[in-house]
Amino acid sequence: MIHPTTRVLAAELPGHVGESVEISGWLHRRRALKSVTFLVIRDRSGLAQVVTTGAGPNLPEETVLRIRGTVTANPQAPAGVELTAPTVEVLSSLAGAPPFSLFRPTVEAALPVVLDGAPVTLRHPRLSALHRVSAASVAGFRATLDGLGFTEIHTPKVVSSATESGADVFALDWFGREAYLAQSPQFFKQAMVGVFERVYETGPVFRAEPHDTARHLAQYTSLDAELGFIADHREVMAVLREVVAGMVASVAERAGAAADLLEVELPDVPAEIPQLHFAEAMRLLGVDEPDLAPAHERWLSEWALREHGSEFLFVVGYPMRKRPFYTHPEPGRPEYSNSFDLLFRGLELVTGGQRLHRYEDYLAALAARGEPVGPYEGYLRSFAHGMPPHGGFALGLERWTARLTGTDNIRRTTLFPRDLHRLTP
Ligand code: AMO
């Protein structure tokens, strides 16, 4: 049987002045003054102040409490109300203290302290706010694509062949057979274009890249989309523009308080995001490389801000030799590709492009790269049975949240990061 809850949330208290109500949450802070003690209670909606006369209960911070009291207006209290004449019930007492005080407005603790203590440290409002922004972003991703006629899919994370490039997979034993953790849903999302035309997926992907940087994880969350019946990659870029605008709008709408707490400056997403061909980017940079180095990405982002007033920049036409075998070449310039990266505030945020869609083109592409067809047989079956011209993209969620919130390391925008050194908690 479900009992109607009598619980009132901290953020709802201003609507209950004069009433006796019940709130529940964690003891965020206990502050004893001479004649009164303040208990600040934290719940999912925010903070509530409770005032007791005298010393009040001497409980450590993070104790879980249920409190009944009278909602009393007090202009000095946060949100203009506080709970007075309380009765306090302990729902759960503590066996340990957090590694640092969660009520201090900023987090001074070093990154490993935050990550090692994640089950507790993430309760700090500034740290949980990052994940509220992340959740609102995913909601915006879904809502935008739902509105554009996409179907959400869920594809296997254990696969029989690499999907991006051979070396960076985690191998595992699958009932005595060699299997891998999926580097991306690439093959499956393409195959599902053959069923639904337009699909998206949000889920974990795994990269066995031994990078020890502030922008790489061994497991991250990939926001993927793929759509059929396109003329070329530019239609994919137009969809991506809508998606990014939808994510920004969703953060403002669903995580406004978290964004305010973090002092997030939400970017303007231009109606048309400026774009630059890879060859032109090389000319501007005065170098001749097959790919963009992180310093190049930063420089190009500054260029886009200076020249176009945009915090976003599409770099299109990456050299074919640096893109995966499923990439569609640029018509008339086959050394370049119909692919793109989206740079945001100095960092590669999205990769995407048009794919090959004809069966024989796949056979030729694999042969040209000296790759056997065998491991890709399941994938190639889609193309043997008729696939429209299509393309798609993948956006790294942790990078997005980090860039959006001005966070220095994507580990802070990951609940429980997995990297070269970290497998717990
Ligand atoms: P790519 O490998 O470029 O493309 O990845 C797409 C986006 O995912 C993010 N990303 C990462 N984030 C954290 N840690 C990592 N190790 C990491 N690697 C990548 C980045 C990047 O832009 N299948 C293609 C996408 C497509 O063409 O649809 C792919 O996976 O934000």
Side-chain angles (χ1 to χ4, degrees), residues 41 130 197 316 358:
I41 305 300
L130 292 168
E197 288 188 23
V316 299
R358 294 192 190 90

Side-chain angles (χ1 to χ4, degrees), residues 135-397:
S137 302
V138 177
F141 177 85
R142 287 203 169 98
T144 307
L145 291 171
D146 287 340
L148 292 172
F150 282 70
T151 299
E152 180 167 10
I153 59 171
H154 306 281
T155 67
K157 303 305 154 209
V158 179
V159 296
S160 62
S161 70
T163 59
E164 299 301 322
S165 62
D168 302 333
V169 287
F170 290 104
L172 58 94
D173 175 85
W174 188 259
F175 302 116
R177 289 157 66 187
E178 174 124 326
Y180 308 98
L181 292 177
Q183 293 163 298
S184 77
Q186 184 64 34
F187 295 176
F188 297 107
K189 69 174 178 172
Q190 282 186 262
M192 288 304 102
V193 166
V195 177
F196 301 106
E197 288 188 23
R198 299 183 150 203
V199 294
Y200 70 86
E201 174 160 15
T202 73
V205 297
F206 303 88
R207 302 279 170 103
E209 298 162 348
H211 295 312
D212 202 356
T213 78
R215 59 183 195 287
H216 287 97
L217 295 164
Q219 174 181 338
Y220 68 92
T221 305
S222 186
L223 306 188
D224 274 85
E226 197 77 16
L227 59 150
F229 297 101
I230 59 169
D232 60 26
H233 57 299
R234 285 171 296 191
E235 273 182 67
V236 181
M237 290 156 65
V239 168
L240 174 56
R241 189 266 156 208
E242 294 309 303
V243 165
V244 171
M247 291 170 73
V248 171
S250 178
V251 169
E253 194 187 311
R254 294 170 161 258
D260 287 347
L261 179 66
L262 296 168
E263 294 167 62
V264 172
E265 287 194 34
L266 293 177
D268 278 331
V269 186
E272 190 137 355
I273 294 175
Q275 49 177 289
L276 191 63
H277 194 278
F278 185 86
E280 179 63 10
M282 286 293 122
R283 202 188 58 75
L284 283 176
L285 290 161
V287 295
D288 186 14
E289 312 268 346
D291 208 350
L292 294 180
H296 296 153
E297 291 173 355
R298 285 195 293 274
W299 191 92
L300 290 170
S301 272
E302 281 165 24
W303 175 87
L305 196 55
R306 217 168 44 234
E307 296 293 316
H308 299 280
S310 170
E311 296 195 274
F312 297 91
L313 174 69
F314 276 123
V315 179
V316 299
Y318 281 75
M320 277 297 278
R321 67 193 158 105
K322 273 298 187 180
R323 294 305 238 207
F325 69 91
Y326 52 75
T327 308
H328 196 292
E330 184 177 316
R333 276 207 289 185
E335 70 275 26
Y336 293 109
S337 64
N338 270 4
S339 72
F340 58 82
D341 274 7
L342 179 64
L343 309 185
F344 173 44
R345 294 183 177 164
L347 185 67
E348 173 205 319
L349 176 67
V350 183
T351 293
Q354 184 182 0
R355 330 294 188 188
L356 301 174
H357 65 278
R358 294 192 190 90
Y359 182 63
E360 59 275 18
D361 291 346
Y362 274 93
L363 296 182
L366 285 170
R369 292 183 191 231
E371 288 231 37
V373 170
Y376 303 105
E377 248 158 21
Y379 173 50
L380 295 182
R381 197 171 301 153
S382 306
F383 305 104
H385 289 273
M387 282 285 279
H390 64 282
F393 62 84
L395 181 154
L397 176 63

